[in-house]
Structure formats: C-alpha cells, structure tokens
Amino acid sequence: KAGVTQTPRYLIKTRGQQVTLSCSPISGHRSVSWYQQTPGQGLQFLFEYFSETQRNKGNFPGRFSGRQFSNSRSEMNVSTLELGDSALYLCASSRKGDRGVTDTQYFGPGTRLTVL
Amino acid sequence: QKEVEQNSGPLSVPEGAIASLNCTYSDRGSQSFFWYRQYSGKSPELIMFIYSNGDKEDGRFTAQLNKASQYVSLLIRDSQPSDSATYLCAVNYGGSQGNLIFGKGTKLSVKP
C-alpha cells in the first residue's frame, strides 16, 4: 500500500508570494491533516479535512487555507508569505479503527518551505 | 488549552539498555495516544498507538498508559544506536479524528 505523498519536497519563495502544497493520503483514508513544524514551536496543527469539508482548524491566520478533493487529495495554500512561514509542512492521513477512536495517523515526507 | 508535555532531553543511554520516555497530557477526555520517532531532517514515523490503560508491547517497544495520572510512556528495550532520534508523544482528544496534539519531543541518544 502506498504511503502519504507530498509535492513538492522543497520550495524557496520570497516574502509576499503565495504557495500551494499538495498531498495524497493513503488509499482508503478520508481524513487529511496538515501540520507546521518549526524548531521553536514543534509540530502544530493547521487544519483537517474529511470528505471535502474542513472539520477542524488550528490557531493560524487566514493566510493559511486548504481544500480537499473528491478523491481525498488535499492542497494547502499560504498567501502573502512571511519570513516566519519558513517551516516543514507535513500532511498526514488518518483513520478511526473498529473501536471508534483514531488509531492511525501516518505522515508524508513533508515540504520544506524557505521564505527569503 | 490542551497540552502535551515531554522532557526535551537529551536522554542518553548506553547500547543495550532500556530507554524510558515519558509524556503527560492535560485533557482527561483524550482518547488515543501515539508515539512517533523522528530522525533529523525526516518526517515523524509512527511507532505505536495505545488507547486502553495498561501496557502494549510491539517488539522492543512497550507503551504504557495511565489515564488516572494522565501519563503515557514508551520503553525501548535493548536500545540500539539506530534508535537515536527525537521521540514525539501525541494525543487525540476525540474532538476531531485527524487532530493530534504533539509534545515538543524528547531527544534520545544511544551510545555504542
């Protein structure tokens, strides 16, 4: 079974630009979550999509947005980039097991974004 | 504010020893608990999940959960230099399937 895939793996942008990151979850997983990882703040939840609907959103400004398509693939967009947006952006897909609790969340390789 | 706390380390153990990693969480309603391993420059890799009080073993790894104390731990037996990494504890409080709250991680170093 293929894992979570993310593209691109590396990006260099300048302040003020916008960027779109893509994620394909594990086959059969309908939940896709996005996280930002920085050395100072660790892993922080951005948002989750399930069946094309945003179900939950972390504490990030409106410049961060996302969407999910009918095939569960997801995109994340950051507009008006700031220096502080430089980070590793991780996508994860998850499922609930037979017991009704989340029992699996696998991460993709991440997109390393550098804002100059 | 839901929080997950870990000792940042570094935790240094000799090869062959047992490494013990600890994590506390703030939300009593939390439902499932995860341990990830992250090598430098790589994405987190799922080691184990646990949702019931007690121990869960998988190879050299044992996860322990105590919901009354809001405490979860990971034991690594027969530690190897290849286990040297940052270990992340994460908690799903059930409000949203895909929303895990992560600790900042404990850096483990296994010395040959």
Side-chain angles (χ1 to χ4, degrees), chain A residues 30-91:
Chain A
R30 293 158 65 190
S31 167
V32 174
S33 301
W34 290 89
Y35 294 84
Q36 180 195 68
Q37 188 175 33
T38 59
Q41 298 299 317
L43 260 166
Q44 293 187 288
F45 174 78
L46 280 157
F47 30 66
E48 179 197 7
Y49 286 87
F50 187 94
S51 293
E52 302 178 63
T53 301
Q54 187 181 91
R55 290 210 299 195
N56 205 352
K57 190 177 188 329
N59 189 25
F60 279 83
R63 300 185 296 105
F64 292 82
S65 63
R67 59 178 175 167
Q68 186 180 33
F69 303 95
S70 59
N71 61 358
S72 293
R73 190 177 70 85
S74 177
E75 287 182 348
M76 179 192 132
N77 185 76
V78 187
S79 62
T80 319
L81 284 166
E82 300 177 0
L83 294 179
D85 297 333
S86 293
L88 180 65
Y89 289 89
L90 292 159
C91 168

CSV table of all heavy atoms in Angstrom, one decimal, chain A residues 30-91:
chain,number,residue,atom,x,y,z
A,30,ARG,N,-9.8,8.9,4.6
A,30,ARG,CA,-10.6,10.1,4.1
A,30,ARG,C,-10.2,11.3,4.9
A,30,ARG,O,-10.6,12.4,4.5
A,30,ARG,CB,-12.1,9.8,4.3
A,30,ARG,CG,-12.6,8.7,3.3
A,30,ARG,CD,-13.9,8.1,3.8
A,30,ARG,NE,-15.0,9.0,3.8
A,30,ARG,CZ,-16.1,8.8,4.4
A,30,ARG,NH1,-16.4,7.6,5.0
A,30,ARG,NH2,-17.1,9.7,4.4
A,31,SER,N,-9.5,11.2,6.0
A,31,SER,CA,-9.1,12.3,6.8
A,31,SER,C,-7.7,12.7,6.4
A,31,SER,O,-6.7,11.9,6.4
A,31,SER,CB,-9.1,12.0,8.3
A,31,SER,OG,-8.5,13.0,9.0
A,32,VAL,N,-7.5,14.0,6.1
A,32,VAL,CA,-6.2,14.6,5.8
A,32,VAL,C,-6.0,15.8,6.7
A,32,VAL,O,-6.8,16.7,6.8
A,32,VAL,CB,-6.1,15.0,4.3
A,32,VAL,CG1,-4.7,15.7,4.1
A,32,VAL,CG2,-6.2,13.8,3.4
A,33,SER,N,-4.8,15.7,7.4
A,33,SER,CA,-4.5,16.8,8.3
A,33,SER,C,-3.2,17.5,7.8
A,33,SER,O,-2.3,16.8,7.3
A,33,SER,CB,-4.3,16.3,9.7
A,33,SER,OG,-5.5,15.7,10.2
A,34,TRP,N,-3.0,18.8,8.1
A,34,TRP,CA,-1.8,19.5,7.8
A,34,TRP,C,-1.2,20.0,9.1
A,34,TRP,O,-2.0,20.5,10.0
A,34,TRP,CB,-2.1,20.7,6.9
A,34,TRP,CG,-2.5,20.2,5.5
A,34,TRP,CD1,-3.7,19.9,5.0
A,34,TRP,CD2,-1.5,20.1,4.4
A,34,TRP,NE1,-3.6,19.6,3.7
A,34,TRP,CE2,-2.3,19.7,3.3
A,34,TRP,CE3,-0.2,20.2,4.2
A,34,TRP,CZ2,-1.7,19.4,2.0
A,34,TRP,CZ3,0.4,20.0,3.0
A,34,TRP,CH2,-0.4,19.6,1.9
A,35,TYR,N,0.1,20.0,9.2
A,35,TYR,CA,0.8,20.5,10.3
A,35,TYR,C,2.0,21.3,9.9
A,35,TYR,O,2.6,21.1,8.8
A,35,TYR,CB,1.4,19.3,11.2
A,35,TYR,CG,0.4,18.4,11.8
A,35,TYR,CD1,-0.2,17.4,11.1
A,35,TYR,CD2,0.0,18.6,13.2
A,35,TYR,CE1,-1.1,16.5,11.7
A,35,TYR,CE2,-0.9,17.8,13.8
A,35,TYR,CZ,-1.5,16.7,13.1
A,35,TYR,OH,-2.4,15.9,13.7
A,36,GLN,N,2.4,22.3,10.7
A,36,GLN,CA,3.6,23.0,10.5
A,36,GLN,C,4.6,22.6,11.6
A,36,GLN,O,4.2,22.6,12.8
A,36,GLN,CB,3.3,24.5,10.6
A,36,GLN,CG,4.5,25.4,10.4
A,36,GLN,CD,4.3,26.9,10.9
A,36,GLN,OE1,4.1,27.1,12.1
A,36,GLN,NE2,4.2,27.8,9.9
A,37,GLN,N,5.8,22.4,11.2
A,37,GLN,CA,6.9,22.1,12.2
A,37,GLN,C,8.0,23.0,12.1
A,37,GLN,O,8.6,23.2,11.0
A,37,GLN,CB,7.4,20.6,12.0
A,37,GLN,CG,8.3,20.2,13.1
A,37,GLN,CD,8.7,18.8,13.1
A,37,GLN,OE1,8.9,18.2,12.0
A,37,GLN,NE2,8.9,18.1,14.2
A,38,THR,N,8.3,23.7,13.2
A,38,THR,CA,9.4,24.6,13.3
A,38,THR,C,10.2,24.2,14.5
A,38,THR,O,9.7,23.6,15.5
A,38,THR,CB,9.0,26.1,13.4
A,38,THR,OG1,8.1,26.2,14.6
A,38,THR,CG2,8.2,26.5,12.2
A,39,PRO,N,11.5,24.6,14.5
A,39,PRO,CA,12.4,24.2,15.7
A,39,PRO,C,11.8,24.8,17.0
A,39,PRO,O,11.9,24.1,18.1
A,39,PRO,CB,13.7,24.8,15.4
A,39,PRO,CG,13.8,24.8,13.9
A,39,PRO,CD,12.3,25.2,13.5
A,40,GLY,N,11.3,26.0,17.0
A,40,GLY,CA,10.8,26.6,18.2
A,40,GLY,C,9.5,26.2,18.7
A,40,GLY,O,9.3,26.0,19.9
A,41,GLN,N,8.6,25.9,17.8
A,41,GLN,CA,7.2,25.6,18.2
A,41,GLN,C,6.8,24.2,18.0
A,41,GLN,O,5.8,23.7,18.5
A,41,GLN,CB,6.2,26.4,17.3
A,41,GLN,CG,6.3,27.9,17.4
A,41,GLN,CD,6.0,28.4,18.8
A,41,GLN,OE1,5.1,27.9,19.5
A,41,GLN,NE2,6.9,29.3,19.4
A,42,GLY,N,7.7,23.4,17.5
A,42,GLY,CA,7.4,22.0,17.3
A,42,GLY,C,6.3,21.8,16.2
A,42,GLY,O,6.1,22.6,15.3
A,43,LEU,N,5.6,20.7,16.4
A,43,LEU,CA,4.5,20.3,15.4
A,43,LEU,C,3.2,21.0,15.8
A,43,LEU,O,2.7,20.7,16.9
A,43,LEU,CB,4.3,18.8,15.4
A,43,LEU,CG,4.9,18.0,14.3
A,43,LEU,CD1,4.9,16.5,14.6
A,43,LEU,CD2,4.2,18.2,13.0
A,44,GLN,N,2.7,21.8,14.9
A,44,GLN,CA,1.4,22.5,15.3
A,44,GLN,C,0.4,22.2,14.2
A,44,GLN,O,0.7,22.2,13.0
A,44,GLN,CB,1.6,24.0,15.3
A,44,GLN,CG,2.5,24.4,16.5
A,44,GLN,CD,2.6,25.9,16.7
A,44,GLN,OE1,3.2,26.6,15.9
A,44,GLN,NE2,1.9,26.4,17.7
A,45,PHE,N,-0.8,21.9,14.7
A,45,PHE,CA,-1.9,21.5,13.8
A,45,PHE,C,-2.4,22.7,13.0
A,45,PHE,O,-2.7,23.8,13.6
A,45,PHE,CB,-3.0,20.9,14.7
A,45,PHE,CG,-4.3,20.6,14.0
A,45,PHE,CD1,-4.4,19.5,13.2
A,45,PHE,CD2,-5.4,21.4,14.1
A,45,PHE,CE1,-5.6,19.2,12.5
A,45,PHE,CE2,-6.6,21.2,13.5
A,45,PHE,CZ,-6.7,20.0,12.7
A,46,LEU,N,-2.6,22.6,11.7
A,46,LEU,CA,-3.1,23.7,10.9
A,46,LEU,C,-4.6,23.5,10.7
A,46,LEU,O,-5.4,24.3,11.0
A,46,LEU,CB,-2.4,23.7,9.5
A,46,LEU,CG,-1.0,24.4,9.6
A,46,LEU,CD1,-0.2,23.9,8.4
A,46,LEU,CD2,-1.2,25.9,9.5
A,47,PHE,N,-5.0,22.3,10.0
A,47,PHE,CA,-6.4,22.0,9.8
A,47,PHE,C,-6.5,20.6,9.3
A,47,PHE,O,-5.6,19.9,9.0
A,47,PHE,CB,-7.1,22.9,8.7
A,47,PHE,CG,-6.2,23.5,7.7
A,47,PHE,CD1,-5.6,22.7,6.7
A,47,PHE,CD2,-5.9,24.9,7.6
A,47,PHE,CE1,-4.7,23.2,5.8
A,47,PHE,CE2,-5.1,25.4,6.6
A,47,PHE,CZ,-4.5,24.6,5.7
A,48,GLU,N,-7.8,20.1,9.4
A,48,GLU,CA,-8.1,18.8,9.0
A,48,GLU,C,-9.3,18.8,8.0
A,48,GLU,O,-10.2,19.6,8.2
A,48,GLU,CB,-8.5,17.9,10.2
A,48,GLU,CG,-8.9,16.5,9.7
A,48,GLU,CD,-9.7,15.7,10.8
A,48,GLU,OE1,-10.1,16.4,11.8
A,48,GLU,OE2,-10.0,14.5,10.6
A,49,TYR,N,-9.2,18.0,7.0
A,49,TYR,CA,-10.3,17.8,6.0
A,49,TYR,C,-10.7,16.4,6.0
A,49,TYR,O,-10.0,15.5,6.1
A,49,TYR,CB,-9.8,18.3,4.6
A,49,TYR,CG,-9.7,19.7,4.5
A,49,TYR,CD1,-8.5,20.4,4.8
A,49,TYR,CD2,-10.8,20.5,4.0
A,49,TYR,CE1,-8.4,21.8,4.7
A,49,TYR,CE2,-10.7,21.9,3.9
A,49,TYR,CZ,-9.5,22.5,4.3
A,49,TYR,OH,-9.4,23.9,4.2
A,50,PHE,N,-12.0,16.3,5.9
A,50,PHE,CA,-12.7,15.0,5.8
A,50,PHE,C,-13.8,15.1,4.8
A,50,PHE,O,-14.7,15.9,5.0
A,50,PHE,CB,-13.2,14.6,7.2
A,50,PHE,CG,-13.7,13.1,7.3
A,50,PHE,CD1,-12.9,12.1,7.7
A,50,PHE,CD2,-15.0,12.9,7.0
A,50,PHE,CE1,-13.3,10.8,7.7
A,50,PHE,CE2,-15.5,11.6,7.0
A,50,PHE,CZ,-14.7,10.5,7.4
A,51,SER,N,-13.8,14.2,3.8
A,51,SER,CA,-14.9,14.2,2.8
A,51,SER,C,-15.1,15.6,2.3
A,51,SER,O,-16.2,16.1,2.2
A,51,SER,CB,-16.2,13.6,3.3
A,51,SER,OG,-16.0,12.3,3.6
A,52,GLU,N,-14.0,16.3,1.9
A,52,GLU,CA,-14.0,17.6,1.3
A,52,GLU,C,-14.5,18.8,2.2
A,52,GLU,O,-14.6,19.9,1.7
A,52,GLU,CB,-14.9,17.6,0.0
A,52,GLU,CG,-14.5,16.5,-1.0
A,52,GLU,CD,-15.4,16.5,-2.2
A,52,GLU,OE1,-15.5,17.5,-2.9
A,52,GLU,OE2,-16.0,15.4,-2.4
A,53,THR,N,-14.6,18.5,3.5
A,53,THR,CA,-15.1,19.5,4.4
A,53,THR,C,-14.0,19.8,5.5
A,53,THR,O,-13.4,18.8,6.0
A,53,THR,CB,-16.4,19.1,5.1
A,53,THR,OG1,-17.4,18.9,4.1
A,53,THR,CG2,-16.8,20.2,6.1
A,54,GLN,N,-13.7,21.0,5.8
A,54,GLN,CA,-12.8,21.3,6.8
A,54,GLN,C,-13.5,21.1,8.2
A,54,GLN,O,-14.5,21.7,8.5
A,54,GLN,CB,-12.4,22.8,6.8
A,54,GLN,CG,-11.3,23.1,7.8
A,54,GLN,CD,-10.8,24.6,7.8
A,54,GLN,OE1,-11.4,25.4,8.5
A,54,GLN,NE2,-9.9,24.9,6.9
A,55,ARG,N,-12.9,20.1,9.0
A,55,ARG,CA,-13.6,19.8,10.2
A,55,ARG,C,-13.0,20.5,11.4
A,55,ARG,O,-13.6,20.6,12.5
A,55,ARG,CB,-13.5,18.3,10.4
A,55,ARG,CG,-14.3,17.5,9.5
A,55,ARG,CD,-14.8,16.2,10.1
A,55,ARG,NE,-13.7,15.3,10.5
A,55,ARG,CZ,-13.8,14.0,10.8
A,55,ARG,NH1,-15.0,13.5,10.8
A,55,ARG,NH2,-12.7,13.3,11.1
A,56,ASN,N,-11.8,20.9,11.3
A,56,ASN,CA,-11.1,21.5,12.4
A,56,ASN,C,-10.0,22.4,12.0
A,56,ASN,O,-9.4,22.1,10.9
A,56,ASN,CB,-10.5,20.4,13.3
A,56,ASN,CG,-10.4,20.8,14.8
A,56,ASN,OD1,-10.6,22.0,15.1
A,56,ASN,ND2,-10.1,19.9,15.7
A,57,LYS,N,-9.7,23.5,12.7
A,57,LYS,CA,-8.7,24.4,12.3
A,57,LYS,C,-7.9,24.8,13.5
A,57,LYS,O,-8.5,25.1,14.6
A,57,LYS,CB,-9.4,25.6,11.7
A,57,LYS,CG,-8.4,26.6,11.0
A,57,LYS,CD,-9.2,27.7,10.4
A,57,LYS,CE,-8.4,28.7,9.5
A,57,LYS,NZ,-7.0,28.9,9.8
A,58,GLY,N,-6.6,24.9,13.3
A,58,GLY,CA,-5.7,25.3,14.4
A,58,GLY,C,-5.7,26.8,14.5
A,58,GLY,O,-6.3,27.6,13.7
A,59,ASN,N,-4.8,27.3,15.3
A,59,ASN,CA,-4.7,28.7,15.6
A,59,ASN,C,-3.7,29.4,14.6
A,59,ASN,O,-2.6,29.8,15.0
A,59,ASN,CB,-4.3,29.0,17.0
A,59,ASN,CG,-4.3,30.4,17.4
A,59,ASN,OD1,-5.1,31.2,16.8
A,59,ASN,ND2,-3.6,30.8,18.4
A,60,PHE,N,-4.0,29.5,13.4
A,60,PHE,CA,-3.2,30.1,12.4
A,60,PHE,C,-4.0,31.2,11.6
A,60,PHE,O,-5.2,31.1,11.6
A,60,PHE,CB,-2.7,29.0,11.3
A,60,PHE,CG,-1.5,28.2,11.8
A,60,PHE,CD1,-1.7,27.1,12.6
A,60,PHE,CD2,-0.3,28.6,11.4
A,60,PHE,CE1,-0.6,26.4,13.1
A,60,PHE,CE2,0.8,27.9,11.9
A,60,PHE,CZ,0.6,26.8,12.7
A,61,PRO,N,-3.3,32.2,11.1
A,61,PRO,CA,-4.0,33.3,10.4
A,61,PRO,C,-4.7,32.8,9.2
A,61,PRO,O,-4.4,31.7,8.6
A,61,PRO,CB,-2.9,34.3,10.1
A,61,PRO,CG,-1.7,33.6,10.2
A,61,PRO,CD,-1.8,32.4,11.2
A,62,GLY,N,-5.6,33.6,8.7
A,62,GLY,CA,-6.4,33.3,7.5
A,62,GLY,C,-5.6,33.1,6.2
A,62,GLY,O,-6.1,32.6,5.2
A,63,ARG,N,-4.3,33.5,6.3
A,63,ARG,CA,-3.5,33.4,5.1
A,63,ARG,C,-3.2,31.9,4.8
A,63,ARG,O,-2.9,31.5,3.7
A,63,ARG,CB,-2.1,34.0,5.3
A,63,ARG,CG,-2.1,35.5,5.6
A,63,ARG,CD,-0.7,36.1,5.7
A,63,ARG,NE,0.1,35.5,6.8
A,63,ARG,CZ,1.1,34.7,6.7
A,63,ARG,NH1,1.4,34.2,5.5
A,63,ARG,NH2,1.7,34.2,7.8
A,64,PHE,N,-3.5,31.1,5.8
A,64,PHE,CA,-3.3,29.6,5.6
A,64,PHE,C,-4.7,29.0,5.3
A,64,PHE,O,-5.7,29.2,6.1
A,64,PHE,CB,-2.8,29.0,6.9
A,64,PHE,CG,-1.4,29.3,7.2
A,64,PHE,CD1,-1.1,30.5,7.8
A,64,PHE,CD2,-0.3,28.5,6.8
A,64,PHE,CE1,0.3,30.9,8.1
A,64,PHE,CE2,1.0,28.8,7.1
A,64,PHE,CZ,1.3,30.0,7.7
A,65,SER,N,-4.8,28.4,4.2
A,65,SER,CA,-6.1,27.8,3.8
A,65,SER,C,-5.8,26.4,3.1
A,65,SER,O,-4.7,26.1,2.8
A,65,SER,CB,-6.8,28.7,2.8
A,65,SER,OG,-6.1,28.9,1.6
A,66,GLY,N,-6.9,25.7,2.9
A,66,GLY,CA,-6.7,24.4,2.3
A,66,GLY,C,-8.0,24.0,1.6
A,66,GLY,O,-9.1,24.6,1.7
A,67,ARG,N,-7.9,22.8,1.0
A,67,ARG,CA,-9.1,22.2,0.4
A,67,ARG,C,-8.9,20.7,0.2
A,67,ARG,O,-7.7,20.3,0.2
A,67,ARG,CB,-9.6,22.9,-0.9
A,67,ARG,CG,-8.5,22.9,-2.0
A,67,ARG,CD,-9.1,23.5,-3.2
A,67,ARG,NE,-8.1,23.7,-4.3
A,67,ARG,CZ,-8.4,24.0,-5.5
A,67,ARG,NH1,-9.6,24.2,-5.9
A,67,ARG,NH2,-7.4,24.1,-6.5
A,68,GLN,N,-9.9,20.0,0.0
A,68,GLN,CA,-9.8,18.6,-0.3
A,68,GLN,C,-10.7,18.2,-1.4
A,68,GLN,O,-11.8,18.8,-1.5
A,68,GLN,CB,-10.2,17.7,1.0
A,68,GLN,CG,-10.0,16.2,0.8
A,68,GLN,CD,-10.3,15.4,2.0
A,68,GLN,OE1,-11.3,15.8,2.7
A,68,GLN,NE2,-9.6,14.4,2.2
A,69,PHE,N,-10.2,17.4,-2.3
A,69,PHE,CA,-11.0,17.0,-3.5
A,69,PHE,C,-11.7,15.7,-3.2
A,69,PHE,O,-11.5,15.0,-2.2
A,69,PHE,CB,-10.0,16.9,-4.7
A,69,PHE,CG,-9.2,18.1,-4.9
A,69,PHE,CD1,-8.0,18.3,-4.4
A,69,PHE,CD2,-9.8,19.2,-5.7
A,69,PHE,CE1,-7.3,19.5,-4.6
A,69,PHE,CE2,-9.1,20.3,-5.9
A,69,PHE,CZ,-7.8,20.5,-5.4
A,70,SER,N,-12.6,15.3,-4.2
A,70,SER,CA,-13.4,14.1,-4.0
A,70,SER,C,-12.6,12.9,-4.0
A,70,SER,O,-13.0,11.8,-3.4
A,70,SER,CB,-14.4,14.1,-5.2
A,70,SER,OG,-13.8,14.0,-6.4
A,71,ASN,N,-11.3,12.9,-4.5
A,71,ASN,CA,-10.5,11.7,-4.4
A,71,ASN,C,-9.6,11.7,-3.1
A,71,ASN,O,-8.7,10.9,-3.0
A,71,ASN,CB,-9.6,11.6,-5.6
A,71,ASN,CG,-8.7,12.7,-5.8
A,71,ASN,OD1,-8.7,13.7,-5.0
A,71,ASN,ND2,-7.8,12.7,-6.8
A,72,SER,N,-10.0,12.6,-2.2
A,72,SER,CA,-9.3,12.7,-0.9
A,72,SER,C,-8.0,13.5,-1.0
A,72,SER,O,-7.4,13.8,0.1
A,72,SER,CB,-9.1,11.4,-0.1
A,72,SER,OG,-10.3,10.9,0.2
A,73,ARG,N,-7.5,13.7,-2.1
A,73,ARG,CA,-6.2,14.5,-2.3
A,73,ARG,C,-6.5,15.9,-1.7
A,73,ARG,O,-7.6,16.4,-1.7
A,73,ARG,CB,-5.8,14.6,-3.7
A,73,ARG,CG,-4.4,15.3,-3.9
A,73,ARG,CD,-4.0,15.3,-5.4
A,73,ARG,NE,-4.8,16.2,-6.2
A,73,ARG,CZ,-4.5,17.5,-6.3
A,73,ARG,NH1,-3.5,18.0,-5.7
A,73,ARG,NH2,-5.3,18.3,-7.1
A,74,SER,N,-5.5,16.5,-1.1
A,74,SER,CA,-5.7,17.8,-0.5
A,74,SER,C,-4.6,18.8,-0.9
A,74,SER,O,-3.5,18.4,-1.2
A,74,SER,CB,-5.6,17.6,1.1
A,74,SER,OG,-5.7,18.9,1.7
A,75,GLU,N,-4.9,20.0,-0.9
A,75,GLU,CA,-4.0,21.1,-1.1
A,75,GLU,C,-4.0,22.1,0.0
A,75,GLU,O,-5.1,22.3,0.6
A,75,GLU,CB,-4.3,21.8,-2.4
A,75,GLU,CG,-4.0,21.1,-3.7
A,75,GLU,CD,-4.3,21.9,-4.9
A,75,GLU,OE1,-4.9,22.9,-4.8
A,75,GLU,OE2,-3.8,21.4,-6.0
A,76,MET,N,-2.9,22.7,0.3
A,76,MET,CA,-2.8,23.7,1.3
A,76,MET,C,-2.1,25.0,0.6
A,76,MET,O,-1.2,24.8,-0.2
A,76,MET,CB,-1.9,23.3,2.4
A,76,MET,CG,-1.6,24.3,3.5
A,76,MET,SD,-0.3,23.8,4.6
A,76,MET,CE,0.6,25.3,4.7
A,77,ASN,N,-2.7,26.1,0.9
A,77,ASN,CA,-2.2,27.3,0.3
A,77,ASN,C,-1.8,28.3,1.4
A,77,ASN,O,-2.5,28.5,2.4
A,77,ASN,CB,-3.3,28.0,-0.6
A,77,ASN,CG,-2.9,29.2,-1.3
A,77,ASN,OD1,-2.2,29.1,-2.3
A,77,ASN,ND2,-3.3,30.4,-0.8
A,78,VAL,N,-0.7,29.0,1.2
A,78,VAL,CA,-0.3,30.1,2.1
A,78,VAL,C,-0.1,31.3,1.2
A,78,VAL,O,0.6,31.3,0.2
A,78,VAL,CB,1.0,29.8,2.8
A,78,VAL,CG1,1.3,30.9,3.8
A,78,VAL,CG2,1.0,28.4,3.4
A,79,SER,N,-0.9,32.4,1.5
A,79,SER,CA,-0.8,33.6,0.7
A,79,SER,C,0.1,34.6,1.5
A,79,SER,O,0.3,34.5,2.7
A,79,SER,CB,-2.2,34.2,0.5
A,79,SER,OG,-2.8,34.5,1.7
A,80,THR,N,0.6,35.6,0.8
A,80,THR,CA,1.4,36.7,1.3
A,80,THR,C,2.4,36.2,2.3
A,80,THR,O,2.4,36.4,3.5
A,80,THR,CB,0.4,37.7,2.0
A,80,THR,OG1,-0.7,38.0,1.3
A,80,THR,CG2,1.2,39.0,2.2
A,81,LEU,N,3.3,35.4,1.8
A,81,LEU,CA,4.3,34.7,2.6
A,81,LEU,C,5.1,35.7,3.5
A,81,LEU,O,5.5,36.8,3.0
A,81,LEU,CB,5.2,33.9,1.8
A,81,LEU,CG,4.7,32.6,1.2
A,81,LEU,CD1,5.5,32.0,0.1
A,81,LEU,CD2,4.5,31.6,2.4
A,82,GLU,N,5.4,35.2,4.7
A,82,GLU,CA,6.2,36.0,5.7
A,82,GLU,C,7.4,35.1,6.0
A,82,GLU,O,7.4,33.9,5.8
A,82,GLU,CB,5.4,36.3,6.9
A,82,GLU,CG,4.2,37.1,6.7
A,82,GLU,CD,3.4,37.4,8.0
A,82,GLU,OE1,3.8,36.9,9.0
A,82,GLU,OE2,2.4,38.1,7.9
A,83,LEU,N,8.5,35.8,6.5
A,83,LEU,CA,9.7,35.0,6.8
A,83,LEU,C,9.4,33.9,7.8
A,83,LEU,O,10.0,32.8,7.7
A,83,LEU,CB,10.8,36.0,7.4
A,83,LEU,CG,11.3,37.0,6.4
A,83,LEU,CD1,12.3,37.9,7.2
A,83,LEU,CD2,12.0,36.4,5.2
A,84,GLY,N,8.5,34.2,8.7
A,84,GLY,CA,8.2,33.2,9.8
A,84,GLY,C,7.4,32.0,9.3
A,84,GLY,O,7.2,31.1,10.1
A,85,ASP,N,7.0,32.0,8.0
A,85,ASP,CA,6.4,30.8,7.5
A,85,ASP,C,7.3,29.8,7.0
A,85,ASP,O,6.9,28.7,6.7
A,85,ASP,CB,5.5,31.2,6.3
A,85,ASP,CG,4.4,32.2,6.6
A,85,ASP,OD1,3.9,32.2,7.8
A,85,ASP,OD2,4.0,33.0,5.7
A,86,SER,N,8.6,30.0,7.1
A,86,SER,CA,9.6,29.0,6.8
A,86,SER,C,9.5,27.9,7.8
A,86,SER,O,9.6,28.1,9.0
A,86,SER,CB,11.0,29.6,6.9
A,86,SER,OG,11.2,30.6,5.9
A,87,ALA,N,9.3,26.7,7.2
A,87,ALA,CA,9.0,25.6,8.1
A,87,ALA,C,8.9,24.3,7.3
A,87,ALA,O,8.9,24.3,6.0
A,87,ALA,CB,7.7,25.8,8.8
A,88,LEU,N,8.8,23.2,8.0
A,88,LEU,CA,8.5,21.9,7.3
A,88,LEU,C,7.0,21.7,7.4
A,88,LEU,O,6.4,21.8,8.5
A,88,LEU,CB,9.2,20.8,8.0
A,88,LEU,CG,8.9,19.4,7.5
A,88,LEU,CD1,9.5,19.2,6.1
A,88,LEU,CD2,9.5,18.3,8.4
A,89,TYR,N,6.3,21.6,6.3
A,89,TYR,CA,4.9,21.4,6.3
A,89,TYR,C,4.6,19.9,6.0
A,89,TYR,O,5.0,19.3,5.0
A,89,TYR,CB,4.2,22.3,5.2
A,89,TYR,CG,4.3,23.7,5.7
A,89,TYR,CD1,5.3,24.5,5.3
A,89,TYR,CD2,3.3,24.3,6.5
A,89,TYR,CE1,5.4,25.8,5.8
A,89,TYR,CE2,3.3,25.6,6.9
A,89,TYR,CZ,4.4,26.4,6.5
A,89,TYR,OH,4.5,27.7,7.0
A,90,LEU,N,3.8,19.4,7.0
A,90,LEU,CA,3.6,17.9,6.9
A,90,LEU,C,2.1,17.7,6.7
A,90,LEU,O,1.2,18.3,7.3
A,90,LEU,CB,4.0,17.3,8.3
A,90,LEU,CG,5.5,17.3,8.5
A,90,LEU,CD1,5.8,17.1,10.0
A,90,LEU,CD2,6.2,16.1,7.8
A,91,CYS,N,1.9,16.7,5.9
A,91,CYS,CA,0.5,16.2,5.7
A,91,CYS,C,0.4,14.8,6.3
A,91,CYS,O,1.4,14.0,6.3
A,91,CYS,CB,0.2,16.1,4.2
A,91,CYS,SG,-1.2,15.3,3.7
